């Protein structure tokens, strides 16, 4: 009864072998199962890296778009400033430099008409020379005075009157210029003052020239 037979011993040995094989199989299955787990664990890391790279790329693209938008806004601001400057320049109209120069010229011409210029002096001297050449020594004293002195004085008065008339017309044009310029653009006060001075000098010079040319002022002395 206490002795085991060969069949029982073989059965036990087979059972133990089967058990060992099952353990080895289970161990292999566990190892095989652990490998995918490791790979599955690596996949999230790779996905995280890809996600980070994608986020970095998106951030760079967003920064570039922001810079482009800022550049576009700056360009638009510059264009708006240029347009505004052009509108202001158009609204301001002429600067008045030409009008001021015209006013000063009118005054200068009026002064020349009153004080005399080199062209009037030369013209008067020439007329004197012509009178001396054309008048004979046997002519009357009245004729000689008129040809030598009277004609020369009239020539001086004539040139003085031309300068006065030019100054007067220049001053009038300067005063009338705003009426033909930008509406609502007032003329500088100093330009008006100088232009009116030119008008006054022109009128005085023209009046004196007419009086002298007609011998109403400083006429020829009597030779009787």
């Amino acid at each position: 009864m206490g002795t085991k037979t060969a069949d029982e011993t073989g059965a036990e040995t087979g059972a133990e072998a089967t058990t060992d094989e099952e353990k080895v199989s289970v161990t292999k299955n566990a190892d095989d199962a652990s490998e995918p787990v490791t790979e599955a664990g690596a996949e999230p890391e790779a996905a995280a890296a890809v996600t980070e790279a994608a986020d970095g790329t998106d951030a760079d693209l967003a920064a570039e778009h922001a810079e482009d938008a800022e550049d576009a806004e700056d360009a638009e601001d510059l264009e708006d400033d240029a347009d505004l400057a052009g509108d202001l320049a158009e609204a301001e109209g002429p600067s008045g430099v030409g009008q001021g120069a015209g006013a000063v010229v009118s005054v200068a011409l009026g002064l020349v008409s009153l004080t005399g210029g080199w062209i009037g002096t030369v013209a008067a001297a020439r007329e004197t020379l012509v009178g001396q050449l054309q008048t004979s020594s046997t002519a009357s004293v009245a004729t000689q005075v008129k040809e030598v002195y009277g004609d020369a004085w009239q020539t001086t008065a004539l040139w003085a009157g031309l300068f006065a008339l030019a100054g007067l017309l220049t001053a009038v044009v300067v005063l009338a210029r705003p009426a033909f310029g930008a509406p609502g653009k007032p003329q500088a006060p100093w330009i008006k003052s100088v232009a009116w001075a030119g008008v006054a000098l022109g009128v005085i010079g023209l009046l004196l020239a007419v009086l002298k040319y007609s011998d109403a002022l400083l006429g020829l002395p009597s030779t009787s």
Side-chain angles (χ1 to χ4, degrees), residues 66-95:
E67 292 179 356
D68 294 338
E70 291 178 357
D71 293 339
E73 291 178 357
D74 294 337
E76 291 178 356
D77 293 338
L78 291 175
E79 291 179 357
D80 293 339
D81 294 338
D83 294 338
L84 181 60
D87 294 339
L88 290 176
E90 292 179 357
E92 290 178 357
S95 59

Side-chain angles (χ1 to χ4, degrees), residues 1 7 19 24 27 37 59 69 71 83 99 107 117 120 128 137 143 151-152 167 170 176 181-182 189 198 208:
M1 294 296 291
D7 293 335
T19 303
V24 172
T27 302
V37 170
D71 293 339
D83 294 338
Q99 299 177 26
V107 172
T128 300
S137 59
T143 302
D151 292 345
T170 303
L208 292 177

Side-chain angles (χ1 to χ4, degrees), residues 75-130:
E76 291 178 356
D77 293 338
L78 291 175
E79 291 179 357
D80 293 339
D81 294 338
D83 294 338
L84 181 60
D87 294 339
L88 290 176
E90 292 179 357
E92 290 178 357
S95 59
V97 175
Q99 299 177 26
V104 174
V105 168
S106 68
V107 172
L109 292 174
L111 291 175
V112 170
S113 69
L114 293 175
T115 60
W118 67 267
I119 187 170
T121 302
V122 172
R126 182 180 181 278
E127 191 64 29
T128 300
L129 180 60
V130 170

